[in-house]
Amino acid sequence: MSEWWTYRLYDFLLFTPQTYYRLFDLYNAAIWPAQIVAVALGVLLVLMCARGAGRPVALILAAVWLWVAVAFLALRYATINWAATYASWGFGVEAALLLWIAIRGRFDPPPAYARTAGLGLVLFAVFVEPLSGLLLGRPLGQIELFALTPDPTVVATLGALLTLRPKRRWLLMIVPVLWCLFTGLTLLAMSARDWWIAPAAAVLVVVLTLSSRAHSPAVSSLRSSG
Amino acid sequence: MRRSDTLTRRSFLGSVAVAGAAALLRPSRAFAYPGPSAAHPGPIVTRPIPSTPSDALPLVGLGTWGTFNVGDDVAARNSCTDVMRAFFAEGGRLIDSSPMYGSSQAVIGYGLGKLGHPKELFSADKVWTPSGAKGPAQIAETEKLWGIAGFDLLQVHNVEAWEEHLQTLFGMKKAGKLRYVGVTTSHGRRHDVVEKIMRSQPIDFVQITYNALDREIEGNILPLARERKIAIICNRPFQRGALIQRVERAKLPSYAAEINCTSWAQVLLKFIVSHPAVCCAIPATSRVDHVRENVGASYGRMPDEALRRRIAADVEKI
């Protein structure tokens, strides 16, 4: 038999898909009616991103990242996946960074295409991504909502970072991009048909962020003087 | 196909404990293996543990990788308890777990508590930490999760930090806190290390991957195990389901009935456990019907060497 590279992704999965999705069932049942607050926060996030209100957006995101870190990752997901304990710490760090941005942060004006794409991603994460499970036949009880569960929260955050362009946004992108990779691989291992959503969002945001940096006034002036 | 009970009678009787007789496990407890029932063709087949021939294990145990990692979900824990209940009722004994398996250990403990700690249990777990110094604390925590005072078998998981952990385990065995010591690996990894340990250390068990497709160990590890009187536990008997998905594309062969198999799962298990060096296979499941089917492979006729080769060839062709 060959060496470790013959491991399938599924071999690294600590739990069955049934157990994973039941996690959301039990979580949603336990925190009801927090879903109403989550949807309201999602609507508020969209409005604030559309207005370019960086500090309120960062404050909302800091709060929801902290909630997800504790209520979902540490208290629930970590019971079946020890790696979720480290993820919860990562989400806590991201919450702290977002809070710092909310208090002291500065924001660059985004290019129009980045602003549009970012807003589109926020809208997607808040209103469309939660429906992906339903469209794939999963019951309503397993719905994953922005502000309550990691995937749509992370995708919405990436969109917000694109829209608002805070200084040192690369630092704020590290944990979300890593989570998109982690969740994408986990869902792929489970042969989930929506495994690609979070990784695609991460790739889009990284590409657009690089692109908008290349076309920023500071870079343009460096090129013209060089 | 010649009937295995005639062809291999001498070797068969030499390796099979007669079911129904009380088997002495520890001085303080004994139990009788289940006798024949309407569900099974004859008594349960067991194989002696080579380092302690007076002790024997049924050929199919219960693994808990993935299937028992259900967290705090009470309904799921109760389902796992039902699996354990059926496992013991069918004559199963060995349950295997590891700290790596998430909440599986706690779920086992939950089930054992609900079942009143069946005396048939042969408890097998692992030490899994890169630090030898942290081994004893992890073992103590594992005992707490199972709700038992000590294990029958502890194994060094994936042979990580094996020198230090084996020292700990041998010390526990010497002090009477552990009956058997072993090491594990899987997916064909680190066979060179396992072989080195088998040759140099007085271990009792090796847990390793062996099934109808993954047969690498037939050339080295299995003969060495017989030579060194080390029991072999086989993990990944179904390649975590992939092998079952593969073979179920094909019709169950006619020879299945000749070896008292009613499903591909049983054929695949009997392929494994009919090897004379193998003590036990540990398929994992979260379903009561599957655990009954799996332990059912501990009963009835076993394939001889010719049929074993045929099974392997047939599975490769599918």
Side-chain angles (χ1 to χ4, degrees):
Chain A
M1 207 191 317
S2 311
E3 297 297 332
W4 63 269
W5 49 85
T6 64
Y7 278 57
R8 295 175 304 149
L9 203 53
Y10 184 61
D11 291 329
F12 295 102
L13 205 57
L14 294 173
F15 41 81
T16 63
Q18 293 81 357
T19 298
Y20 177 79
Y21 288 118
R22 189 152 155 79
L23 207 60
F24 295 95
D25 243 322
L26 296 171
Y27 174 62
N28 282 326
I31 63 172
W32 170 261
Q35 290 82 355
I36 300 170
V37 176
V39 171
L41 278 173
V43 171
L44 190 59
L45 184 80
V46 170
L47 291 172
M48 292 295 112
C49 283
R51 287 184 180 183
R55 291 180 196 273
V57 166
L59 197 60
I60 293 171
L61 291 176
V64 303
W65 273 77
L66 189 61
W67 170 266
V68 171
V70 175
F72 184 79
L73 290 173
L75 294 180
R76 296 221 169 233
Y77 197 9
T79 65
I80 62 168
N81 187 350
W82 44 262
T85 304
Y86 302 105
S88 76
W89 284 105
F91 271 57
V93 166
E94 183 74 6
L97 287 172
L98 287 162
L99 184 62
W100 182 76
I101 291 288
I103 297 169
R104 302 284 303 270
R106 287 181 294 155
F107 301 83
D108 291 325
Y113 66 86
R115 187 172 180 279
T116 303
L119 197 55
L121 211 49
V122 174
L123 279 164
F124 173 82
V126 172
F127 297 114
V128 179
E129 192 175 351
L131 300 176
S132 64
L134 294 173
L135 289 170
L136 291 172
R138 292 200 290 272
L140 186 61
Q142 292 175 5
I143 198 166
E144 297 177 50
L145 289 173
F146 164 74
L148 297 180
T149 58
D151 290 5
T153 300
V154 168
V155 171
T157 302
L158 286 170
L161 292 176
L162 206 55
T163 301
L164 300 167
R165 245 171 148 239
K167 296 275 189 201
R168 295 192 183 89
R169 55 192 163 278
W170 285 108
L171 205 58
L172 287 159
M173 282 171 62
I174 294 173
V175 173
V177 169
L178 284 175
W179 176 263
C180 286
L181 180 67
F182 175 76
T183 199
L185 288 173
T186 301
L187 293 174
L188 182 61
M190 295 194 297
S191 302
R193 282 180 286 164
D194 52 348
W195 68 270
W196 55 273
I197 293 178
V203 168
L204 176 71
V205 170
V206 168
V207 166
L208 289 179
T209 302
L210 283 169
S211 165
S212 64
R213 183 169 181 268
H215 290 105
S216 74
V219 175
S220 298
S221 71
L222 274 172
R223 280 186 181 153
S224 60
S225 68
Chain B
M1 194 275 297
R2 287 173 290 182
R3 291 170 63 90
S4 61
D5 57 355
T6 302
L7 174 69
T8 60
R9 190 179 187 82
R10 184 172 58 189
S11 58
F12 200 67
L13 287 178
S15 65
V16 170
V18 178
L24 189 65
L25 299 175
R26 293 185 185 187
S28 57
R29 61 178 189 172
F31 63 86
Y33 287 102
S37 70
H40 298 299
I44 195 166
V45 177
T46 64
R47 189 155 282 144
I49 297 168
S51 59
T52 313
S54 58
D55 202 355
L57 287 170
L59 296 177
V60 177
L62 180 64
T64 58
W65 166 241
T67 51
F68 270 47
N69 183 18
V70 298
D72 298 331
D73 183 350
V74 174
R77 284 188 168 210
N78 288 337
S79 293
C80 291
T81 302
D82 290 339
V83 169
M84 292 168 69
R85 182 181 290 112
F87 174 72
F88 288 119
E90 291 296 311
R93 288 192 57 209
L94 187 150
I95 297 181
D96 177 79
S97 194
S98 168
M100 193 182 93
Y101 299 173
S103 59
S104 294
Q105 296 171 316
V107 174
I108 290 170
Y110 176 89
L112 289 176
K114 289 255 177 190
L115 297 174
H117 288 273
K119 56 183 187 302
E120 299 88 340
L121 171 69
F122 185 99
S123 53
D125 209 292
K126 305 179 184 75
V127 58
W128 179 63
T129 163
S131 161
K134 291 184 179 168
Q138 187 184 71
I139 291 166
E141 175 63 19
T142 297
E143 286 172 354
K144 202 169 137 192
L145 289 169
W146 279 64
I148 59 177
F151 282 93
D152 291 291
L153 166 64
L154 281 173
Q155 306 152 101
V156 181
H157 198 149
N158 287 341
V159 295
E160 187 168 25
W162 63 269
E163 288 106 329
E164 296 166 82
H165 289 315
L166 280 185
Q167 232 180 350
T168 300
L169 298 184
F170 288 139
M172 288 176 68
K173 187 178 177 185
K174 195 172 174 189
K177 295 177 185 171
L178 178 65
R179 297 178 66 212
Y180 299 108
V181 174
V183 298
T184 83
T185 188
S186 68
H187 296 81
R189 295 184 76 194
R190 309 198 75 178
H191 284 184
D192 52 342
V193 178
V194 169
E195 211 174 317
K196 177 181 166 185
I197 295 169
M198 290 171 77
R199 290 187 188 282
S200 63
Q201 305 295 321
I203 56 173
D204 305 291
F205 280 82
V206 163
Q207 188 184 122
I208 198 162
T209 297
Y210 179 57
N211 55 58
L213 281 185
D214 302 322
R215 304 195 303 275
E216 182 187 328
I217 64 171
E218 285 177 351
N220 51 1
I221 303 284
L222 291 182
L224 183 59
R226 295 194 81 185
E227 178 194 318
R228 299 277 297 165
K229 294 193 180 355
I230 296 171
I232 296 289
I233 296 174
C234 296
N235 57 39
R236 293 176 54 77
F238 303 140
Q239 290 183 338
R240 211 175 174 192
L243 202 43
I244 296 281
Q245 283 172 15
R246 175 187 178 127
V247 298
E248 283 184 341
R249 297 198 290 251
K251 201 173 136 199
L252 192 64
S254 56
Y255 53 68
E258 295 168 13
I259 52 172
N260 302 117
C261 292
T262 56
S263 67
W264 266 114
Q266 290 184 333
V267 170
L268 292 173
L269 284 172
K270 286 205 175 184
F271 168 83
I272 297 167
V273 300
S274 56
H275 192 290
V278 170
C279 196
C280 187
I282 48 168
T285 181
S286 55
R287 286 173 54 165
V288 169
D289 56 340
H290 285 179
V291 79
R292 287 193 178 124
E293 185 180 51
N294 292 342
V295 181
S298 296
Y299 293 85
R301 289 186 292 273
M302 296 291 156
D304 61 10
E305 186 51 38
L307 183 53
R308 295 185 77 253
R309 282 197 295 272
R310 194 172 158 197
I311 293 170
D314 285 350
V315 172
E316 273 182 2
K317 273 189 236 150
I318 297 171

